[in-house]
Amino acid sequence: MKVILVDDEPAMLFVMERLLSNMTGVELVGSFQNAAGVLDFVRDRAVDLAFLDIQIAADNGLELARSLRVVRADLDIVFTTSHADYAIHAYDVYPLDYMVKPISRMRLTQTITRAALSRGGASDLTPNRLTVKGLGCFEVSSKQAGTVKWISRKSMELFAYLLVNRGGSVTKVRMLEDIFPNMPPKNAEMYLHTAVYQLRKVLSEHGFKGKVISGQETYRFDLDDVDVDFLQIEQGVEQLSEINTANATTAIELEKRFSGELFAEKPFEWATVERDRLAIVYTFFAKRLANWLLAQKRFREAAQMRRKSYLAMNSKRNRICCYCIYSEPWETGNPCIIVMSTIRKCCF
């Protein structure tokens, strides 16, 4: 779907361009800050959808819409404005939609989907998202282009480093110390700039421009449109302050998502503290959940969860060992009901 934007506010154009760039099946073909040139552009180019500000500096968005209707009768028009009062006047040009600023990603997605359906297109015009699996592995993919293929190991490590900082700014000095230890400062800085360039390049190929933000000797990663498993799990744990019948299923599914150490098998020395911290977060959560399961007499599930949490803590200590769980018939005599009776630590 080919889209144009007409708005006299540069900030609004920037936001809309960014939101649209992350939507599959959408191509932004033109962006204007006034009405001049819009009619000729639409007359000469294929355009499916126009987002028009009703007040465009000295121009009138409603008059522009009426003129566009003459030039291209099948053009879908969406009005955007800061004032809801204009809605009644706007409908005499039969717009597809009317959106009041600020415009959210979800609201824009709904409008784009309506436009696609009105043209007989597919309804799967959901925003492009970056998916990160950092527990038990390190895999990154996008809906638009599939698995991310890293240009270099350091660009991959830089991405992991910025993720761990959860969208916060990190000073260049600290990054040089953590990612390029024992390297002469000038060489380290050169390698950092190269890694930043490579990371930006590979993310741009997946439809994510401008995600690595730099300024005043700092860097940060914008987490909008990004799903990170270890961040989602930690947020989920924080929300489950109490486990009960109503949220038990959610808690169990959340526990299952913990599939191993952070960035497993990746030799990121700077990640050791965060790796250990997440293991502790998981262990205490799994213990709470196992205790609740025991109280519900769901003994087998509780035993399995306890074993998994002990192994997680053990891998944190970097030792090879396991916890053997012995079970015996419940006191009722029913051999089908087991209870965790003894936990013995074995090293080998």
Side-chain angles (χ1 to χ4, degrees), residues 233 247-258 285 289:
I233 289 173
N247 61 26
T249 300
T250 300
I252 291 170
E253 290 302 314
L254 188 65
E255 188 277 333
K256 288 178 180 177
R257 293 186 63 188
F258 187 90
F285 172 69
L289 183 53

Side-chain angles (χ1 to χ4, degrees), residues 2-139:
K2 299 183 184 299
V3 178
I4 64 169
L5 303 174
V6 185
D7 198 304
D8 61 342
E9 299 178 27
M12 184 62 185
L13 288 176
F14 174 79
V15 170
M16 290 290 288
E17 288 170 0
R18 185 170 178 178
L19 291 174
L20 291 170
S21 69
N22 289 328
M23 293 186 177
T24 56
V26 175
E27 180 186 0
L28 180 61
V29 295
S31 184
F32 305 86
Q33 286 187 253
N34 54 58
V38 176
L39 287 176
D40 288 338
F41 185 91
V42 172
R43 184 182 293 110
D44 299 335
R45 298 278 297 272
V47 179
D48 303 308
L49 175 63
F51 288 90
L52 308 181
D53 187 4
I54 289 183
Q55 288 185 308
I56 317 168
D59 301 312
N60 187 311
L62 289 173
E63 290 303 320
L64 174 61
R66 295 185 182 102
S67 299
L68 287 172
R69 275 275 178 260
V70 175
V71 173
R72 189 178 294 275
D74 64 342
L75 178 68
D76 283 322
I77 294 174
V78 175
F79 286 112
T80 63
T81 182
S82 302
H83 307 285
D85 297 340
Y86 287 105
I88 296 176
H89 305 289
Y91 276 99
D92 71 332
V93 291
Y94 307 103
L96 175 75
D97 204 350
Y98 187 96
M99 305 173 71
V100 178
K101 303 174 186 178
I103 297 170
S104 69
R105 183 181 294 103
M106 181 178 297
R107 182 71 174 83
L108 181 60
T109 300
Q110 292 171 348
T111 298
I112 292 291
T113 301
R114 283 184 59 193
L117 291 173
S118 72
R119 293 177 172 274
S123 61
D124 187 23
L125 287 171
T126 54
N128 184 30
R129 298 192 70 82
L130 198 65
T131 301
V132 180
K133 297 179 180 179
L135 295 174
C137 62
F138 188 37
E139 299 174 357

Side-chain angles (χ1 to χ4, degrees), residues 208-221:
F208 294 95
K209 295 181 180 179
K211 283 290 183 182
V212 180
I213 302 169
S214 58
Q216 297 183 340
E217 299 293 294
T218 64
Y219 291 89
R220 70 180 183 88
F221 183 76

Side-chain angles (χ1 to χ4, degrees), residues 25 46 160 167 189 345:
E189 188 166 351
K345 180 179 178 182

